[in-house]
Amino acid sequence: MARSPSLPDRPTRDIDPNLPDEERLDALRSHHAELHEVREKLADQLETAERRRETLRDRVDRVERENECLKDSPLYVASVEESFDGEVVVKQHGNNQEVLTEVSPRMADRIEPGDRVAVDDSFGLQTVLSAETDARAQAMEITEKPDVSYADIGGIDDQVREVREAVEQPLAEPELFEQVGIEPPSGVLLYGPPGTGKTMLAKAVATKTDATFIKMAGSELVRKFIGEGSRLVRDLFDLAREREPAIIFIDEIDAVAARRTDSKTSGDAEVQRTMMQLLNEMDGFENRGEISIIAATNRFDMLDRAILRPGRFDRLIEVPEPDAEGRERIFEIHSQDLSLADAVDYEALAGRTDGYSGAEIESVTTEAGMFAIRDDRTDVTMADFEAAIDKLESDEGSEYIPSENYFFH
Ligand SMILES: Nc1ncnc2c1ncn2[C@@H]1O[C@H](COP(=O)(O)OP(=O)(O)OP(=O)(O)O)[C@@H](O)[C@H]1O
C-alpha cells in the first residue's frame, strides 16, 4: 500500500517557426533534453512499480498456498505409546483415545514410543512432529530481565500510568488490594495501531517488577494441528507459574480471539478451541499470585466480546499514535545515543511526521544515522533527519507504510 508516485509533468514547448534556424535548433535540443529526463524518470517509476508488482504477486501466491492448506482435512496431534512390527499404538491428545494403527515401513523406522505425531481422521500416521520443547521454544519468547524502562517510552504518559496502576501495583503491593478488598484487574488489553509501544509497555512493567517476560504471538497459537494451540496455551500458563513473578504478553490476540465468522471450517473450530483454553486458564486464575496477563491487538474491532467480560481482559487501554508533542519526545529518546553535530530541532521534525508511529520515528533516526555514515561523517545533522524523512516518504519499493494508512477502527 505504498503511496503512488506522482507522474512528472509532460514538457511542452511552443517554438516559433519564424526563428532563425540556429535558435530553433537550440530550442529543439533543449526540449529533447527535457523529454529525455522525463523519460528516465518514468522508466525508474516503471521499474519500481514492476518490482512492487512482483512482491505483491509473491504475497498473493503465498496466501493462496496457505488457503489451500487450510482447506485440507485437519490433522490431530497424538503420542506414540508403543510400536510393534509395522503397527503402533497412538493416543490422541485432547480426548485420549488410544488406537492401534498400521504404519508404513519407512515411517516405522523413524518413530519411537514417546514421539509426537500427526494423524488424520482415520488415525493414519501422516508425519512425525518436532519435540514438544521445540514447539514451546519456537512459540514463546522468554526474557528473564527485559531492559526497557518507562523512561524509554515517549508520548503515552497516560497509558504508562494506567498500566502501572493495573499491572505493576498489584504485583508490587498485593496487600494493598487485599486491605481495600478489591480484585486487581484480571487482564489488561492494549489496543491501537502497530508500533506505538504496546510491547514496550509490557516489557517495562516486567523490568520494574523484576518479573520474567513471556511473550507469545497469537498467530503462533493458531497451529496446523488440532489440539496444539490449546496445548501451547496450557504450557504458557504452566511456564508462567514456574517462573513467578511473570508477565504473560500475548501479542496479536485477535488471531485467536476474533469474532466468530459464518464459515465453519475446521481451522475456525481449532481457533475457537484455543480461545476457550485461554479463557479457561484466565477463569481458573482466582489465586493468580504473581502472574499478570497483558494482551495486545491492532484490530480491536475484530475481537470476540467474550474475552472482554469481567474477570478476563477487563481493563482496556488504548495506545494511540503519538501527537506532535509525543513525537518530539520519541525523537529525543531515540536520538539520545546519536552523536549529533548541531542542535536538532525536534519540534520541526515532529511537525513533519504527522501520523508516524513510534516505530516509524525510530526508523527515521536510524536512517538519519545511515545518511551520516554514507557521507563519511560520525556526527548526525538536522539535514540527515530531513533526508531520512524524505527517503522514507518516497521509498516506494519499501515495506514502509505510514500507520495512518492501516485499516484500523
Ligand atoms: N511510544 C514510544 N516511545 C519510544 N519508542 C517507541 C514508542 N513506540 C514504539 N517505539 C519504538 O518502536 C519499536 C516497536 O514498538 P513496540 O513493539 O512496542 O510496538 P507495538 O505497539 O507492540 O507494535 P505491534 O502492534 O506492531 O506489535 C520499539 O522497540 C521502539 O523502539
Side-chain angles (χ1 to χ4, degrees):
M1 260 193 291
R3 290 174 196 160
S4 307
S6 49
L7 291 178
D9 289 334
R10 186 184 176 155
T12 52
R13 184 177 294 213
D14 288 330
I15 299 174
D16 182 355
N18 300 321
L19 280 177
D21 282 355
E22 198 56 31
E23 280 179 42
R24 245 174 4 115
L25 189 61
D26 276 352
L28 282 169
R29 278 212 180 97
S30 110
H31 185 48
H32 176 257
E34 275 173 9
L35 286 171
H36 190 70
E37 199 179 310
V38 169
R39 189 191 158 279
E40 297 273 288
K41 273 193 196 149
L42 285 170
D44 277 357
Q45 288 185 355
L46 182 65
E47 201 187 307
T48 312
E50 275 169 353
R51 275 203 308 270
R52 178 102 191 116
R53 192 186 56 185
E54 285 299 309
T55 319
L56 290 173
R57 185 73 260 157
D58 285 351
R59 273 196 223 167
V60 171
D61 286 350
R62 201 173 63 221
V63 171
E64 277 175 352
R65 278 198 303 276
E66 282 173 12
N67 202 2
E68 283 310 310
C69 282
L70 287 173
K71 284 192 208 148
D72 284 348
S73 59
L75 296 178
Y76 300 81
V77 183
S79 303
V80 175
E81 301 267 285
E82 281 176 71
S83 111
F84 314 98
D85 249 359
E87 282 184 325
V88 288
V89 176
V90 289
K91 181 157 149 193
Q92 188 183 326
H93 291 190
N95 62 7
N96 288 342
Q97 196 179 352
E98 288 188 344
V99 175
L100 180 67
T101 181
E102 275 185 22
V103 280
S104 65
R106 194 178 55 84
M107 190 76 104
D109 288 346
R110 289 175 48 208
I111 49 178
E112 288 175 16
D115 280 352
R116 285 182 344 131
V117 289
V119 295
D120 60 21
D121 310 15
S122 43
F123 285 93
L125 246 62
Q126 298 298 319
T127 178
V128 182
L129 299 174
S130 56
E132 197 144 352
T133 41
D134 283 357
R136 244 190 182 197
Q138 274 168 17
M140 295 178 207
E141 173 195 319
I142 304 165
T143 320
E144 290 294 344
K145 285 196 188 318
D147 57 355
V148 177
S149 77
Y150 295 123
D152 299 329
I153 308 176
I156 46 173
D157 297 347
D158 287 347
Q159 288 73 9
V160 170
R161 190 182 38 74
E162 281 191 69
V163 169
R164 294 189 66 169
E165 247 174 50
V167 192
E168 183 189 314
Q169 221 172 6
L171 282 177
E173 301 171 279
E175 65 288 346
L176 198 67
F177 287 78
E178 255 167 53
Q179 276 166 13
V180 179
I182 51 165
E183 288 276 317
S186 290
V188 172
L189 177 77
L190 307 175
Y191 66 99
T196 45
K198 297 182 288 300
T199 311
M200 286 184 95
L201 268 172
K203 280 194 176 161
V205 189
T207 310
K208 182 70 203 243
T209 52
D210 278 329
T212 310
F213 177 77
I214 308 175
K215 175 177 166 183
M216 162 134 0
S219 52
E220 286 287 349
L221 288 170
V222 180
R223 290 275 158 160
K224 247 161 84 190
F225 304 111
I226 308 272
E228 251 197 322
S230 17
R231 176 88 187 206
L232 274 171
V233 171
R234 268 202 304 278
D235 279 355
L236 179 65
F237 282 80
D238 285 348
L239 188 74
R241 280 182 207 105
E242 283 164 24
R243 306 281 181 106
E244 272 186 352
I247 304 245
I248 296 180
F249 179 65
I250 307 177
D251 203 4
E252 306 166 46
I253 183 94
D254 45 282
V256 274
R259 220 174 287 161
R260 260 154 270 216
T261 55
D262 292 336
S263 77
K264 297 269 180 303
T265 61
S266 54
D268 257 13
E270 170 60 1
V271 170
Q272 283 295 315
R273 249 191 297 270
T274 306
M275 176 170 105
M276 293 319 290
Q277 183 64 37
L278 177 63
L279 296 183
N280 275 344
E281 291 284 353
M282 291 187 77
D283 290 348
F285 234 44
E286 305 271 285
N287 285 322
R288 154 156 57 104
E290 296 182 81
I291 299 175
S292 277
I293 311 165
I294 303 179
T297 180
N298 306 323
R299 297 300 313 269
F300 184 67
D301 57 314
M302 277 182 41
L303 291 186
D304 190 323
R305 301 291 134 173
I307 73 155
L308 307 179
R309 295 216 190 105
R312 294 170 177 175
F313 291 101
D314 49 11
R315 181 66 73 95
L316 308 181
I317 301 175
E318 182 176 6
V319 185
E321 262 162 13
D323 59 11
E325 211 179 300
R327 292 196 297 277
E328 200 179 323
R329 178 79 199 111
I330 299 174
F331 266 115
E332 269 168 28
I333 291 174
H334 285 288
S335 307
Q336 263 164 16
D337 295 334
L338 289 185
S339 139
L340 298 173
D342 46 20
V344 170
D345 185 349
Y346 296 116
E347 193 179 341
L349 292 175
R352 279 200 58 189
T353 46
D354 191 21
Y356 278 49
S357 67
E360 285 159 357
I361 293 175
E362 188 193 6
S363 320
V364 171
T365 49
T366 310
E367 195 57 50
M370 292 304 297
F371 269 105
I373 291 176
R374 269 182 227 129
D375 214 17
D376 256 350
R377 280 178 286 116
T378 49
D379 291 343
V380 183
T381 63
M382 179 68 182
D384 291 327
F385 279 94
E386 282 169 340
I389 296 175
D390 290 342
K391 176 162 191 289
L392 288 174
E393 297 252 325
S394 68
D395 217 351
E396 294 303 324
S398 86
E399 284 300 295
Y400 166 77
I401 301 171
S403 52
E404 64 194 337
N405 289 357
Y406 269 87
F407 176 59
F408 172 73
H409 299 286

mmCIF file of all heavy atoms in Angstrom, residues 19 37 55 60 69 79 95 108 119 123 144 160 166 174 180 214 227 232 235 250 253 293 357 363 397:
data_model
loop_
_atom_site.group_PDB
_atom_site.id
_atom_site.type_symbol
_atom_site.label_atom_id
_atom_site.label_comp_id
_atom_site.label_asym_id
_atom_site.label_seq_id
_atom_site.Cartn_x
_atom_site.Cartn_y
_atom_site.Cartn_z
ATOM 1 N N LEU A 19 11.705 31.573 -36.103
ATOM 2 C CA LEU A 19 13.025 31.812 -35.504
ATOM 3 C C LEU A 19 14.122 31.430 -36.498
ATOM 4 O O LEU A 19 13.901 30.527 -37.336
ATOM 5 C CB LEU A 19 13.196 30.931 -34.260
ATOM 6 C CG LEU A 19 12.543 31.373 -32.954
ATOM 7 C CD1 LEU A 19 12.801 30.301 -31.886
ATOM 8 C CD2 LEU A 19 13.131 32.701 -32.502
ATOM 9 N N GLU A 37 14.835 13.524 -19.954
ATOM 10 C CA GLU A 37 14.849 13.469 -18.495
ATOM 11 C C GLU A 37 13.548 12.854 -17.956
ATOM 12 O O GLU A 37 13.552 11.998 -17.079
ATOM 13 C CB GLU A 37 15.007 14.898 -17.968
ATOM 14 C CG GLU A 37 15.487 14.978 -16.542
ATOM 15 C CD GLU A 37 15.625 16.440 -16.138
ATOM 16 O OE1 GLU A 37 16.265 17.200 -16.906
ATOM 17 O OE2 GLU A 37 15.051 16.801 -15.121
ATOM 18 N N THR A 55 6.543 -8.311 -5.850
ATOM 19 C CA THR A 55 6.403 -8.579 -4.407
ATOM 20 C C THR A 55 4.962 -8.938 -4.085
ATOM 21 O O THR A 55 4.698 -9.882 -3.340
ATOM 22 C CB THR A 55 6.764 -7.310 -3.590
ATOM 23 O OG1 THR A 55 7.878 -6.712 -4.185
ATOM 24 C CG2 THR A 55 7.018 -7.610 -2.154
ATOM 25 N N VAL A 60 0.521 -12.823 -2.931
ATOM 26 C CA VAL A 60 -0.737 -13.473 -3.321
ATOM 27 C C VAL A 60 -0.512 -14.981 -3.417
ATOM 28 O O VAL A 60 -1.298 -15.784 -2.908
ATOM 29 C CB VAL A 60 -1.240 -12.908 -4.673
ATOM 30 C CG1 VAL A 60 -2.407 -13.725 -5.197
ATOM 31 C CG2 VAL A 60 -1.646 -11.454 -4.526
ATOM 32 N N CYS A 69 -3.832 -24.984 2.065
ATOM 33 C CA CYS A 69 -3.503 -25.819 3.236
ATOM 34 C C CYS A 69 -4.672 -25.857 4.203
ATOM 35 O O CYS A 69 -5.008 -26.895 4.770
ATOM 36 C CB CYS A 69 -2.320 -25.255 3.995
ATOM 37 S SG CYS A 69 -0.785 -25.591 3.237
ATOM 38 N N SER A 79 0.328 -39.078 20.570
ATOM 39 C CA SER A 79 1.642 -39.558 21.006
ATOM 40 C C SER A 79 1.731 -41.040 20.701
ATOM 41 O O SER A 79 0.737 -41.769 20.815
ATOM 42 C CB SER A 79 1.816 -39.417 22.509
ATOM 43 O OG SER A 79 1.634 -38.087 22.869
ATOM 44 N N ASN A 95 -8.681 -35.985 23.543
ATOM 45 C CA ASN A 95 -9.704 -36.940 24.013
ATOM 46 C C ASN A 95 -9.085 -38.241 24.539
ATOM 47 O O ASN A 95 -9.791 -39.150 24.967
ATOM 48 C CB ASN A 95 -10.712 -37.244 22.902
ATOM 49 C CG ASN A 95 -10.050 -37.894 21.717
ATOM 50 O OD1 ASN A 95 -8.869 -38.232 21.768
ATOM 51 N ND2 ASN A 95 -10.804 -38.083 20.652
ATOM 52 N N ALA A 108 7.875 -46.472 10.138
ATOM 53 C CA ALA A 108 8.144 -47.296 11.318
ATOM 54 C C ALA A 108 9.588 -47.130 11.779
ATOM 55 O O ALA A 108 9.878 -47.109 12.975
ATOM 56 C CB ALA A 108 7.854 -48.767 10.999
ATOM 57 N N VAL A 119 -1.904 -37.315 13.062
ATOM 58 C CA VAL A 119 -2.711 -38.388 12.441
ATOM 59 C C VAL A 119 -3.944 -37.766 11.780
ATOM 60 O O VAL A 119 -4.390 -36.695 12.176
ATOM 61 C CB VAL A 119 -3.178 -39.435 13.498
ATOM 62 C CG1 VAL A 119 -1.999 -40.169 14.092
ATOM 63 C CG2 VAL A 119 -4.008 -38.783 14.597
ATOM 64 N N PHE A 123 -6.840 -42.115 11.817
ATOM 65 C CA PHE A 123 -5.631 -42.473 12.566
ATOM 66 C C PHE A 123 -4.450 -42.916 11.692
ATOM 67 O O PHE A 123 -3.549 -43.590 12.161
ATOM 68 C CB PHE A 123 -5.931 -43.521 13.649
ATOM 69 C CG PHE A 123 -6.641 -42.920 14.813
ATOM 70 C CD1 PHE A 123 -8.028 -42.941 14.868
ATOM 71 C CD2 PHE A 123 -5.937 -42.298 15.833
ATOM 72 C CE1 PHE A 123 -8.705 -42.351 15.922
ATOM 73 C CE2 PHE A 123 -6.611 -41.708 16.898
ATOM 74 C CZ PHE A 123 -7.996 -41.730 16.945
ATOM 75 N N GLU A 144 14.276 -13.092 30.888
ATOM 76 C CA GLU A 144 14.349 -13.019 32.358
ATOM 77 C C GLU A 144 14.379 -11.565 32.817
ATOM 78 O O GLU A 144 13.718 -11.184 33.748
ATOM 79 C CB GLU A 144 15.611 -13.718 32.876
ATOM 80 C CG GLU A 144 15.601 -15.232 32.735
ATOM 81 C CD GLU A 144 14.551 -15.905 33.613
ATOM 82 O OE1 GLU A 144 14.043 -15.260 34.549
ATOM 83 O OE2 GLU A 144 14.230 -17.080 33.326
ATOM 84 N N VAL A 160 1.027 4.808 30.251
ATOM 85 C CA VAL A 160 2.027 4.261 31.164
ATOM 86 C C VAL A 160 1.444 4.251 32.586
ATOM 87 O O VAL A 160 1.522 3.251 33.302
ATOM 88 C CB VAL A 160 3.340 5.093 31.125
ATOM 89 C CG1 VAL A 160 4.280 4.683 32.245
ATOM 90 C CG2 VAL A 160 4.019 4.949 29.774
ATOM 91 N N ALA A 166 -2.671 -0.805 36.823
ATOM 92 C CA ALA A 166 -3.381 -2.072 36.627
ATOM 93 C C ALA A 166 -2.488 -3.287 36.760
ATOM 94 O O ALA A 166 -2.943 -4.364 37.141
ATOM 95 C CB ALA A 166 -4.047 -2.071 35.250
ATOM 96 N N PRO A 174 0.475 -6.395 46.551
ATOM 97 C CA PRO A 174 -0.795 -7.145 46.550
ATOM 98 C C PRO A 174 -1.613 -6.903 47.817
ATOM 99 O O PRO A 174 -2.838 -6.894 47.792
ATOM 100 C CB PRO A 174 -0.354 -8.603 46.437
ATOM 101 C CG PRO A 174 1.093 -8.621 46.764
ATOM 102 C CD PRO A 174 1.630 -7.273 46.487
ATOM 103 N N VAL A 180 -7.935 -3.131 50.885
ATOM 104 C CA VAL A 180 -9.079 -2.349 50.396
ATOM 105 C C VAL A 180 -10.237 -3.277 50.015
ATOM 106 O O VAL A 180 -11.396 -2.876 50.023
ATOM 107 C CB VAL A 180 -8.651 -1.479 49.182
ATOM 108 C CG1 VAL A 180 -9.815 -0.672 48.649
ATOM 109 C CG2 VAL A 180 -7.522 -0.560 49.592
ATOM 110 N N ILE A 214 7.191 -13.193 29.390
ATOM 111 C CA ILE A 214 6.957 -14.321 28.474
ATOM 112 C C ILE A 214 6.032 -13.851 27.372
ATOM 113 O O ILE A 214 4.877 -13.511 27.628
ATOM 114 C CB ILE A 214 6.308 -15.513 29.209
ATOM 115 C CG1 ILE A 214 7.118 -15.868 30.452
ATOM 116 C CG2 ILE A 214 6.205 -16.721 28.277
ATOM 117 C CD1 ILE A 214 6.495 -16.943 31.302
ATOM 118 N N GLY A 227 -5.550 -29.383 18.489
ATOM 119 C CA GLY A 227 -5.119 -29.655 19.859
ATOM 120 C C GLY A 227 -3.807 -28.985 20.220
ATOM 121 O O GLY A 227 -3.477 -28.841 21.380
ATOM 122 N N LEU A 232 -0.440 -25.374 23.774
ATOM 123 C CA LEU A 232 0.527 -24.290 23.961
ATOM 124 C C LEU A 232 0.035 -23.279 24.983
ATOM 125 O O LEU A 232 0.815 -22.739 25.764
ATOM 126 C CB LEU A 232 0.791 -23.585 22.631
ATOM 127 C CG LEU A 232 1.871 -24.206 21.758
ATOM 128 C CD1 LEU A 232 1.892 -23.552 20.392
ATOM 129 C CD2 LEU A 232 3.238 -24.063 22.414
ATOM 130 N N ASP A 235 0.748 -24.743 28.261
ATOM 131 C CA ASP A 235 2.193 -24.630 28.509
ATOM 132 C C ASP A 235 2.576 -23.228 28.934
ATOM 133 O O ASP A 235 3.396 -23.036 29.822
ATOM 134 C CB ASP A 235 2.970 -24.924 27.211
ATOM 135 C CG ASP A 235 3.100 -26.408 26.979
ATOM 136 O OD1 ASP A 235 2.683 -27.171 27.861
ATOM 137 O OD2 ASP A 235 3.606 -26.793 25.911
ATOM 138 N N ILE A 250 0.527 -11.558 25.402
ATOM 139 C CA ILE A 250 0.023 -12.211 24.184
ATOM 140 C C ILE A 250 -0.210 -11.139 23.124
ATOM 141 O O ILE A 250 -1.144 -10.343 23.232
ATOM 142 C CB ILE A 250 -1.294 -12.983 24.459
ATOM 143 C CG1 ILE A 250 -1.100 -13.942 25.637
ATOM 144 C CG2 ILE A 250 -1.719 -13.757 23.205
ATOM 145 C CD1 ILE A 250 -2.355 -14.679 26.029
ATOM 146 N N ILE A 253 -3.593 -10.767 19.794
ATOM 147 C CA ILE A 253 -4.611 -11.631 20.416
ATOM 148 C C ILE A 253 -5.773 -11.882 19.448
ATOM 149 O O ILE A 253 -6.456 -12.911 19.532
ATOM 150 C CB ILE A 253 -5.117 -11.008 21.749
ATOM 151 C CG1 ILE A 253 -6.124 -11.900 22.477
ATOM 152 C CG2 ILE A 253 -5.772 -9.666 21.545
ATOM 153 C CD1 ILE A 253 -5.551 -12.775 23.487
ATOM 154 N N ILE A 293 -1.408 -10.813 33.090
ATOM 155 C CA ILE A 293 -1.582 -11.094 31.663
ATOM 156 C C ILE A 293 -1.872 -9.793 30.927
ATOM 157 O O ILE A 293 -2.793 -9.052 31.280
ATOM 158 C CB ILE A 293 -2.768 -12.036 31.434
ATOM 159 C CG1 ILE A 293 -2.653 -13.236 32.372
ATOM 160 C CG2 ILE A 293 -2.805 -12.518 29.994
ATOM 161 C CD1 ILE A 293 -3.936 -13.998 32.458
ATOM 162 N N SER A 357 4.168 6.443 13.666
ATOM 163 C CA SER A 357 4.161 5.732 14.951
ATOM 164 C C SER A 357 5.548 5.848 15.565
ATOM 165 O O SER A 357 6.499 6.293 14.899
ATOM 166 C CB SER A 357 3.847 4.264 14.716
ATOM 167 O OG SER A 357 4.912 3.668 14.018
ATOM 168 N N SER A 363 12.747 4.394 12.951
ATOM 169 C CA SER A 363 13.387 4.160 11.648
ATOM 170 C C SER A 363 13.977 5.448 11.099
ATOM 171 O O SER A 363 15.023 5.426 10.459
ATOM 172 C CB SER A 363 12.418 3.661 10.578
ATOM 173 O OG SER A 363 11.536 2.760 11.058
ATOM 174 N N GLY A 397 9.356 1.220 -3.042
ATOM 175 C CA GLY A 397 9.501 -0.240 -3.034
ATOM 176 C C GLY A 397 9.566 -0.805 -1.635
ATOM 177 O O GLY A 397 9.498 -1.997 -1.442
#
